[in-house]
């Protein structure tokens, strides 16, 4: 005889509990949407976003107590000696840069548009030039034998007055929406010019293609000698959506290295045109870059979480993969887990709203002449999104 068991009341209780918890939330959201709709009908402006600070906000230095992270007491680095500026390898840094004319109706320096960094005042038009000049200045401090080559359109009115920086006009469409695609084309045109100048098989004038919102804080020329058997180098991070960052690409300046790099960039350009023309204007090249690498070397993606340098072959080119946390480190923004600044960081990337911090860091360096202490300023200020 089967014994009937009483049904448990725990199962229907769970949906009831969820309903009790969700009803207040749903009601609050609906009231908020109704309020916004009513404000729009009355012609009222939308709620103002929180204003970003217009000066540095110092916070705690993350990573304290970890021997592989920068340790700071105040703004003094305690476990990283002053970085050397002794002459090392000669490397040519190459960046694509252009300026855009502002709205004539807003011409002039309105007080709301002016940014103050130290004793300097920058209008919107002057900020991008200040970033470019700071980029050049950091290279002159950290790698004094190196030079900077700026690729821009032939009609550009760009002028640079820093000794080891030069401008090379290259034809193309440098409009905002096309800039990332044009950058790849300009890299190819530049390398084809340099290939014609190589007069022997093993002669080398090495190149590093970078964004202009980067600070080279330590000599990186060693990558061309410590790792001798590669044609081009990419920086990787443990990011599934964008595992490779196009802001730092090194090319060995031999005939073979330049030839392989041209072939590689042509593959990236082809992928961009076929697959990523509708991507965000700042992401298409990175998506195309990752697609090309994955097409020929999918095993590389399994190594990106290890933060260790390795090499692999991509369509006949030997590629050196360098960890972003050393050669393309970005200060994190906002809340969340953050383990501090790697002790061996060599390049800091001030992308997005971090650009103001780049100018502040250079201003701090000018007053102290201590790159290591400047890194403490970056570490303690980098989590805030600044008005710039």
């Amino acid at each position: 005889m089967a014994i009937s068991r009483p049904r448990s009341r725990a199962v229907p209780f769970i949906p009831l509990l969820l309903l009790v918890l969700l009803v207040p939330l749903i009601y609050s959201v609906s009231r908020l949407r109704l309020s916004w709709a009513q404000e729009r009908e009355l012609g009222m402006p939308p709620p103002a976003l929180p204003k970003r600070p217009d000066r540095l906000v110092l916070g705690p230095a993350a990573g304290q107590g970890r021997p592989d992270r920068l340790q700071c007491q105040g703004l003094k680095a305690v476990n990283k000696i002053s970085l050397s500026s002794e002459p090392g390898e000669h490397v040519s840094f190459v960046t694509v840069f252009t300026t855009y004319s502002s709205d004539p109706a807003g011409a002039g320096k309105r007080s709301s548009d002016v940014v103050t960094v130290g004793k300097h005042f920058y209008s919107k038009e002057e900020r991008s030039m200040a970033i470019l000049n700071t980029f050049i200045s950091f290279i002159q401090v950290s790698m004094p034998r190196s030079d900077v080559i700026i690729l821009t359109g032939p009609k550009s009115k760009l002028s640079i007055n820093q000794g080891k920086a030069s401008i090379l006009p290259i034809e193309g469409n440098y409009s905002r929406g096309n800039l990332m695609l044009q950058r790849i084309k300009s890299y190819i045109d530049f390398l084809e010019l340099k290939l014609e100048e190589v007069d022997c098989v093993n002669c080398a004038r090495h190149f590093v293609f970078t964004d202009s919102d980067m600070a080279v804080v330590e000599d990186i020329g060693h990558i061309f000698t410590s790792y001798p058997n590669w044609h081009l180098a990419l920086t990787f991070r443990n990011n599934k959506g964008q595992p490779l960052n196009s802001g730092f690409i090194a090319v060995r300046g031999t005939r073979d290295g330049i030839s392989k790099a041209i072939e590689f960039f042509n593959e990236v350009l082809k992928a961009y045109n076929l697959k990523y023309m509708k991507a965000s204007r700042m992401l298409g090249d990175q998506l195309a870059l990752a697609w090309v690498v994955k097409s020929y070397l999918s095993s590389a993606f399994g190594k990106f979480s290890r933060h260790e340098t390795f090499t692999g072959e991509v369509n006949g080119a030997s590629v050196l993969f360098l960890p972003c946390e050393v050669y393309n480190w970005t200060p994190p923004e906002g809340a969340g887990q953050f383990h501090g600044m790697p002790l061996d960081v060599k390049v800091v990337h001030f992308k997005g709203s971090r650009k103001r911090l780049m100018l502040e860091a250079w201003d701090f360096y000018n007053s102290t002449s201590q790159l290591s202490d400047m890194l403490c300023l970056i570490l303690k200020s980098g989590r805030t999104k600044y008005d710039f």
Side-chain angles (χ1 to χ4, degrees):
M1 179 178 178
I3 300 175
S4 62
R5 297 180 180 179
R7 294 181 180 178
S8 171
R9 295 186 180 181
V11 173
F13 176 74
I14 294 175
L16 180 61
L17 178 61
L18 289 174
L19 185 61
V20 170
L21 294 173
L22 287 175
V23 165
L25 178 62
I26 295 171
Y27 177 75
S28 299
V29 172
S30 64
R31 293 291 299 171
L32 183 61
R33 294 184 64 181
L34 178 61
S35 173
W36 287 351
Q38 291 172 339
E39 289 176 354
R40 283 198 300 269
E41 289 179 3
L42 295 173
M44 297 174 65
L49 296 174
K51 182 174 175 57
R52 293 182 178 182
D54 58 1
R55 58 180 58 84
L56 286 188
V57 177
L58 296 179
Q64 298 308 286
R66 293 187 52 170
D68 62 335
R69 293 295 189 264
L70 180 67
Q71 305 295 301
C72 302
Q73 290 182 356
L75 294 179
K76 186 71 176 176
V78 296
N79 65 335
K80 190 178 184 78
I81 61 173
S82 259
L83 305 176
S84 172
S85 59
E86 291 296 320
E89 288 288 319
H90 176 272
V91 176
S92 290
F93 287 84
V94 184
T95 190
V96 169
F97 186 87
T98 190
T99 56
Y100 300 100
S101 58
S102 58
D103 180 5
K109 288 188 179 182
R110 294 180 299 182
S111 59
S112 59
D113 291 340
V114 175
V115 169
T116 304
V117 178
K119 297 179 180 179
H120 303 284
F121 302 90
Y122 302 104
S123 66
K124 282 186 176 180
E125 294 79 8
E126 293 165 339
R127 293 175 207 174
S128 59
M129 284 303 303
I131 292 293
L132 178 63
N133 282 312
T134 302
F135 163 73
I136 297 168
S137 297
F138 270 117
I139 291 170
Q140 292 178 338
V141 169
S142 299
M143 300 182 65
R145 290 189 60 208
S146 296
D147 65 313
V148 178
I149 302 170
I150 302 160
L151 310 183
T152 191
K155 296 181 180 179
S156 172
K157 298 179 180 179
L158 184 66
S159 63
I160 292 291
N161 297 319
Q162 299 208 47
K164 290 190 176 181
S166 59
I167 297 172
L168 179 60
I170 290 183
E171 289 285 350
N173 176 7
Y174 291 83
S175 63
R176 292 180 191 273
N178 196 65
L179 188 59
M180 293 297 99
L181 182 65
Q182 179 58 47
R183 182 165 75 165
I184 302 171
K185 295 179 179 179
S186 295
Y187 287 173
I188 294 170
D189 290 346
F190 172 81
L191 288 171
E192 287 176 343
L193 289 173
K194 296 305 166 185
L195 186 60
E196 295 176 0
E197 296 175 5
V198 178
D199 55 7
C200 65
V201 175
N202 294 317
C203 294
R205 180 187 177 188
H206 307 307
F207 306 103
V208 177
F209 296 86
T210 74
D211 290 349
S212 58
D213 55 357
M214 287 180 150
V216 179
V217 298
E218 197 167 321
D219 196 320
I220 61 169
H222 70 93
I223 64 173
F224 296 98
T225 53
S226 300
Y227 310 99
N229 300 314
W230 55 270
H231 299 116
L232 69 149
L234 306 174
T235 53
F236 68 87
R237 56 197 172 186
N238 190 21
N239 182 321
K240 291 183 179 180
Q242 300 170 51
L244 298 169
N245 186 278
S246 59
F248 181 107
I249 302 175
V251 173
R252 187 176 294 280
T254 60
R255 183 182 297 277
D256 196 32
I258 296 174
S259 298
K260 295 294 185 182
I262 292 172
E263 293 176 16
F264 178 83
F265 279 126
N266 273 312
E267 286 277 323
V268 175
L269 181 61
K270 181 180 178 181
Y272 196 130
N273 280 315
L274 290 177
K275 295 178 173 294
Y276 302 111
M277 288 300 291
K278 294 183 179 180
S280 168
R281 68 187 186 196
M282 300 304 291
L283 296 180
D285 63 330
Q286 295 190 158
L287 296 173
L289 191 66
W291 188 88
V292 169
V293 172
K294 193 170 186 178
S295 298
Y296 293 97
L297 190 67
S298 59
S299 61
F301 287 66
K303 301 178 181 180
F304 290 166
S305 62
R306 301 176 193 172
H307 304 293
E308 297 174 355
T309 301
F310 67 96
T311 57
E313 186 171 307
V314 177
N315 193 26
S318 177
V319 179
L320 176 69
F321 292 90
L322 301 166
C324 274
E325 67 171 18
V326 177
Y327 296 93
N328 196 343
W329 184 79
T330 299
E333 290 181 331
Q337 194 174 27
F338 172 39
H339 301 298
M341 181 185 291
L343 192 57
D344 54 351
V345 67
K346 291 174 173 54
V347 181
V348 180
H349 194 170
F350 297 90
K351 56 188 178 182
S353 65
R354 306 166 182 87
K355 289 180 176 57
R356 180 194 182 96
L357 182 54
M358 182 177 182
L359 300 184
E360 296 277 7
W362 178 249
D363 185 68
F364 180 87
Y365 170 75
N366 277 332
S367 66
T368 64
S369 299
Q370 296 293 327
L371 282 172
S372 54
D373 293 347
M374 181 201 71
L375 294 179
C376 284
L377 178 79
I378 295 171
L379 175 61
K380 301 185 76 170
S381 308
R383 304 199 72 171
T384 302
K385 293 184 178 181
Y386 293 100
D387 180 31
F388 192 70

